[in-house]
Amino acid sequence: MKKVPDFFGSMVFNDTVMQSRLPKDTYRALKKAIAQGTHLELDVANIVANAMKDWAIEKGATHFTHWFQPMTGITAEKHDSFIAPDRDGRIIMEFSGKELVRGEPDASSFPSGGLRATFEARGYTIWDTSSYAFIKDGTLYIPTAFCSYSGEALDKKTPLLRSMEAINKQALRIIRLFGNTSVKRVTTTVGAEQEYFLIDKEVYLKRPDLVYTGRTLFGARPPKGQEMEDHYFVSLKPRVSAFMRELEEELWKLGVLAKTKHNEVAPAQHELAPIFTTVNIATDHNQLTMELMKSVANRHGLACLLHEKPFAGVNGSGKHINWSICTDKGTNLLEPGETPHENMQFLLFLTAVIKAVDEYQDLLRVSVANAGNDHRLGANEAPPAIVSMFLGDELTEILEAIETGTVYHGKQKNQMEIGATVLPRFPKDITDRNRTSPFAFTGNKFEFRMLGSAFSIAGPNIVLNTIVAEVLREFADTLENAEDFNDDLAALIKKTIREHKRIIFNGNNYSEQWVREAEKRGLSNLKNTVEALPAFVAQKSIDVFTRHNVLTETEIRSRYEILLENYCKTLRIEALTMVDMVKKEIIPACISYQNELLQLLRGKKSCGDYDFCLEQHYLERISKLSACLLKNLDALENAVLKTKDESDALTQAGFYRDHVLGAMSELRLVVDELETIVPKKYWPLPTYSEMLYSVY
Ligand code: ADP
Ligand code: MG
């Protein structure tokens, strides 16, 4: 068997390949463009393209594609082959610099939120030189940003790159204030833990709801769910193990640092975590991971479910993004330092994040809002819809001592005066674990846990980068004008803690008391997508995004429209799928059973000596439930029809939430009850047990 180091990154046009295949001056020009995010001259691009093509063809590629991340949340690609006709009727393999750096896909069918009318279909894809090209399934993939003819971002990568620029600029200002002149660039690092379900493909294909909507819209509670907690971390079943092995190998070939795999809490639920990397690459890699999970599962006769809540009553799947800020010298700015001086810098960055999360809690909430996640947030396995931060007791005590100017009694009992510069050395494992917090400090990084498993991690990272950039900007403005840097710094940290400590909560986020306590503290509790989304277009959001050139007001408004539209479409598809399943599968099953009972009854002269007749009893129950089923089916169909009356997107989304969702639950209740009485031979859908225990 091949050793991992031998094939890791073998399908990536990475730095080593560039160095060995490009002429020295081309390599240098490309590196410079990558480091500074500048334009590539066409002659340089031509040489790079040619080298890329030769390398790709040697690896068996025949096509290339500009790979981009439109607002659908998944990736898009259009494949072109390298072939070009020769004069003598044969073909040659060609790939020009122009084809490498810019593509012109017909953009009209991607969501643009009104940014681009269909007749102005032109969109551009532009090579993102900071993310390596790679080969997958015989195609050379070129990571690109996607924008409209007039330059508006139509994708998730463009604003992410812009937000990286924003935080780089502001963090550098802060670092300079501490006397550091050698750092050239600051980036955010991200590690995205990905949860997912694996079920048997045959079983999956028998569930139209899973196929069309990604989640089960019906299904009675199984006798055994996750209550025994006997799935978490247990050894892997052979089929799952084979799947994971192939997935890892595929990911490693693409240079994805897949590191940890294990079973999750719910039956059939698993997790994969990579080693963290720069946020832009982490985002590309997470998209690739999700894609490969699906395709590798398919090859193993499995279906991978990425929906955030595929099974009601069973834990949903989340995605945790571990987020930190790092310099090009490898210093993690959220690592508590060893000297008082480093401590102050750490504390400044820490309080900047605290302030950012407190001031822009609504925006963070928006970044994780969608119809699927509404089923998960606030259920018993995921953080509530309230954004708060966990710092752990020790760090919280340190902050309290700073705020009140009192003595901090450290764990080692070394009492220390908290002055401007004399801070205790932070103990190594500074935080305990708190699994219930939406935003937890975990020693040298934050872990944002509100994302649903199917999310692109771009959105939440765009928000995090931008809001922290904004607070760093304010801090830099203050401190650059300081009369006495150390005094003003200490005062600023103290003031920030005082003003924003309400966002810190180390207790149990799943408890009822927290909901009340949070309300007292004035924290938002935006319970669902429709409640959350308007915060995206609030003046405060527009100000922060435009100030840092991350999104223009037009781009924000168009994204807002897309999000609302997406919410409505999701619910509409779910509702129509339910209607379809009831009509085509559930009703016929009920009829068959009813017929059988009727025939049995007819065949009987009487119930004889028995005073209780089973057939009669079930016939009555099924008749009653069937009547209810028809009534609720009607109600749902009517609710869907009525949505057409609303012209404004927000009102329409509100109608879906208030009426369609309710009608869906009512319909589900009846169907789930029917499932418990209709015999297995008539019930057309695999049950929860059959799905959750389908892989062995
Ligand atoms: P847990 O399950 O306890 O959250 P994991 O080990 O599964 O822990 O995941 C931790 C994640 O955090 C990994 O993806 C890891 O690479 C990432 N990580 C560690 N340090 C940093 C950092 N400085 N910046 C961003 N992510 C980090
Ligand atoms: Mg985690």
Side-chain angles (χ1 to χ4, degrees):
M1 219 185 84
K2 268 175 114 184
K3 294 202 186 87
V4 181
D6 295 340
F7 66 84
F8 184 85
S10 60
M11 290 302 191
V12 185
F13 196 76
N14 56 23
D15 197 58
T16 322
V17 183
M18 288 180 198
Q19 215 164 354
S20 70
R21 296 216 169 220
L22 294 174
K24 269 209 177 67
D25 50 339
T26 312
Y27 173 73
R28 248 182 270 123
L30 179 59
K31 285 292 275 186
K32 197 171 144 222
I34 293 172
Q36 299 173 357
T38 48
H39 204 68
L40 257 199
E41 294 305 326
L42 197 58
D43 52 338
V44 179
N46 275 329
I47 302 172
V48 178
N50 203 44
M52 246 189 210
K53 177 204 69 186
D54 289 345
W55 169 81
I57 290 173
E58 277 167 38
K59 300 255 174 202
T62 49
H63 290 68
F64 70 94
T65 182
H66 274 202
W67 186 60
F68 57 105
Q69 303 176 16
M71 295 301 297
T72 52
I74 50 175
T75 56
E77 48 196 72
K78 184 185 113 203
H79 297 217
D80 280 300
S81 70
F82 290 124
I83 65 161
D86 206 354
R87 245 179 256 131
D88 52 12
R90 301 183 357 174
I91 55 132
I92 49 166
M93 300 296 256
E94 252 182 21
F95 185 47
S96 70
K98 223 172 114 226
E99 287 171 304
L100 167 64
V101 296
R102 209 177 78 172
E104 257 184 70
D106 177 350
S108 58
S109 299
F110 292 105
S112 77
L115 262 190
R116 177 190 22 67
T118 338
F119 57 86
E120 305 167 321
R122 212 186 309 210
Y124 288 119
T125 49
I126 301 140
W127 183 26
D128 166 20
T129 51
S130 63
S131 182
Y132 297 135
F134 56 90
I135 298 168
K136 191 166 78 75
D137 304 326
T139 296
L140 172 68
Y141 279 70
I142 299 145
T144 58
F146 178 44
C147 65
S148 74
Y149 183 65
S150 42
E152 278 116 354
L154 294 173
D155 68 345
K156 305 211 170 201
K157 189 187 266 283
T158 309
L160 181 64
L161 293 171
R162 293 175 184 159
S163 75
M164 288 169 72
E165 245 354 277
I167 195 162
N168 169 52
K169 187 169 156 199
Q170 305 303 334
L172 277 178
R173 287 175 70 193
I174 299 286
I175 293 179
R176 298 282 183 260
L177 285 167
F178 283 90
N180 187 326
T181 50
S182 59
V183 167
K184 296 233 155 35
R185 202 169 165 82
V186 174
T187 44
T188 38
T189 50
V190 168
E193 301 163 52
Q194 176 74 47
E195 290 181 346
Y196 60 98
F197 279 86
L198 275 185
I199 66 169
D200 188 86
K201 195 169 142 192
E202 298 285 312
V203 176
Y204 168 81
L205 289 173
K206 288 189 190 132
R207 296 278 323 202
D209 45 0
L210 280 182
V211 175
Y212 298 135
T213 74
R215 74 180 183 106
T216 54
L217 301 168
F218 301 113
R221 297 291 146 97
K224 180 176 185 233
Q226 62 190 52
E227 45 285 276
M228 303 294 284
E229 296 181 339
D230 53 0
H231 192 253
Y232 194 49
F233 278 27
V234 298
S235 66
L236 304 170
K237 292 177 181 132
R239 266 179 91 186
V240 174
S241 188
F243 157 83
M244 285 183 175
R245 174 157 283 276
E246 189 179 333
L247 174 64
E248 272 174 338
E249 274 179 22
E250 293 291 312
L251 288 170
W252 287 337
K253 280 191 218 158
L254 295 177
V256 179
L257 294 156
K259 173 82 174 163
T260 318
K261 54 180 177 185
H262 60 78
N263 280 358
E264 262 301 327
V265 177
Q269 194 184 29
H270 313 278
E271 181 184 300
L272 183 142
I275 297 171
F276 70 94
T277 175
T278 319
V279 58
N280 180 33
I281 312 285
T283 307
D284 287 358
H285 283 182
N286 183 253
Q287 294 295 141
L288 273 178
T289 303
M290 291 194 287
E291 263 178 58
L292 280 172
M293 278 179 168
K294 296 218 161 218
S295 58
V296 174
N298 198 29
R299 289 205 284 274
H300 286 252
L302 299 164
C304 170
L305 311 181
L306 288 172
H307 193 280
E308 28 294 279
K309 191 78 175 178
F311 305 100
V314 175
N315 276 7
S317 297
K319 178 139 60 190
H320 295 171
I321 49 174
N322 296 271
W323 182 95
S324 193
I325 325 171
C326 191
T327 71
D328 57 354
K329 305 278 181 259
T331 309
N332 178 351
L333 296 169
L334 290 176
E335 177 82 48
E338 302 227 336
T339 65
H341 166 81
E342 285 173 337
N343 278 342
M344 290 309 275
Q345 185 177 301
F346 161 71
L347 282 172
L348 190 65
F349 277 101
L350 180 77
T351 44
V353 181
I354 294 173
K355 179 170 178 185
V357 173
D358 185 32
E359 285 202 337
Y360 295 96
Q361 39 181 294
D362 291 359
L363 215 42
L364 280 170
R365 174 68 186 89
V366 167
S367 79
V368 296
N370 75 5
N373 218 17
D374 281 359
H375 299 287
R376 186 180 151 264
L377 291 178
N380 60 355
E381 77 276 19
I386 307 163
V387 177
S388 73
M389 284 171 104
F390 169 84
L391 292 184
D393 292 339
E394 183 119 33
L395 201 48
T396 308
E397 275 168 31
I398 293 174
L399 295 192
E400 268 163 14
I402 295 173
E403 187 204 346
T404 52
T406 51
V407 175
Y408 166 70
H409 302 276
K411 266 193 182 147
Q412 301 92 343
K413 303 207 170 42
N414 50 342
Q415 304 195 349
M416 257 189 217
E417 207 54 62
I418 310 260
T421 48
V422 222
L423 278 166
R425 213 178 120 164
F426 291 111
K428 195 97 195 89
D429 227 345
I430 200 160
T431 50
D432 0 313
R433 286 180 162 245
N434 179 327
R435 288 272 161 215
T436 68
S437 174
F439 202 95
F441 186 67
T442 52
N444 60 3
K445 62 186 184 297
F446 280 98
E447 185 174 348
F448 187 28
R449 303 190 178 122
M450 289 174 91
L451 285 79
S453 46
F455 273 74
S456 153
I457 63 169
N461 279 311
I462 293 168
V463 171
L464 268 171
N465 289 347
T466 310
I467 62 180
V468 174
E470 167 62 9
V471 177
L472 293 176
R473 179 194 70 82
E474 289 166 20
F475 283 6
D477 281 355
T478 308
L479 294 174
E480 280 168 359
N481 296 315
E483 286 191 357
D484 181 312
F485 178 68
N486 282 334
D487 283 356
D488 288 15
L489 172 64
L492 178 63
I493 291 175
K494 198 165 163 167
K495 174 169 172 273
T496 311
I497 298 169
R498 192 172 55 240
E499 287 172 0
H500 300 284
K501 63 180 175 191
R502 65 168 186 168
I503 197 77
I504 299 165
F505 177 61
N506 294 328
N508 178 8
N509 281 258
Y510 295 178
S511 73
E512 261 309 302
Q513 291 97 293
W514 169 234
V515 178
R516 286 195 295 275
E517 163 76 18
E519 197 181 341
K520 262 193 242 147
R521 293 190 190 187
L523 301 181
S524 314
N525 184 1
L526 303 169
K527 295 195 193 69
N528 51 62
T529 303
V530 186
E531 254 179 68
L533 288 184
F536 192 25
V537 286
Q539 195 54 47
K540 196 171 163 188
S541 309
I542 295 175
D543 288 346
V544 74
F545 281 128
T546 51
R547 169 175 280 138
H548 295 276
N549 299 320
V550 173
L551 289 169
T552 64
E553 182 166 348
T554 325
E555 286 169 344
I556 295 170
R557 292 199 184 280
S558 71
R559 269 149 220 261
Y560 171 67
E561 289 296 319
I562 293 172
L563 290 168
L564 283 171
E565 210 178 274
N566 194 286
Y567 178 84
C568 296
K569 280 184 185 160
T570 305
L571 262 72
R572 186 180 170 79
I573 293 170
E574 288 184 351
L576 294 181
T577 303
M578 283 183 113
V579 168
D580 204 52
M581 287 170 77
V582 168
K583 287 185 178 165
K584 299 219 175 87
E585 308 204 53
I586 311 293
I587 292 178
C590 293
I591 294 178
S592 302
Y593 184 36
Q594 221 171 8
N595 268 339
E596 181 182 337
L597 289 171
L598 268 173
Q599 268 167 26
L600 284 173
L601 264 182
R602 277 205 202 103
K604 275 187 175 172
K605 299 235 158 41
S606 74
C607 284
D609 296 337
Y610 307 103
D611 51 5
F612 182 74
C613 179
L614 257 181
E615 290 90 341
Q616 187 67 42
H617 170 79
Y618 273 98
L619 197 57
E620 272 163 26
R621 269 191 78 185
I622 194 136
S623 310
K624 268 201 199 120
L625 281 172
S626 302
C628 220
L629 181 72
L630 292 186
K631 192 179 100 225
N632 293 358
L633 178 67
D634 227 35
L636 180 57
E637 283 190 291
N638 279 331
V640 175
L641 274 179
K642 277 223 186 86
T643 56
K644 292 222 172 69
D645 301 346
E646 313 290 352
S647 56
D648 161 69
L650 183 63
T651 338
Q652 193 175 64
F655 189 89
Y656 268 103
R657 177 197 57 192
D658 298 335
H659 301 284
V660 177
L661 210 51
M664 283 164 61
S665 312
E666 297 283 303
L667 183 60
R668 176 174 185 153
L669 270 181
V670 190
V671 174
D672 290 357
E673 191 163 354
L674 279 164
E675 185 188 321
T676 63
I677 61 165
V678 174
K680 213 173 156 157
K681 64 175 176 184
Y682 294 127
W683 196 253
L685 304 169
T687 64
Y688 264 36
S689 299
E690 282 160 350
M691 287 184 278
L692 291 168
Y693 299 96
S694 59
V695 181
Y696 33 82

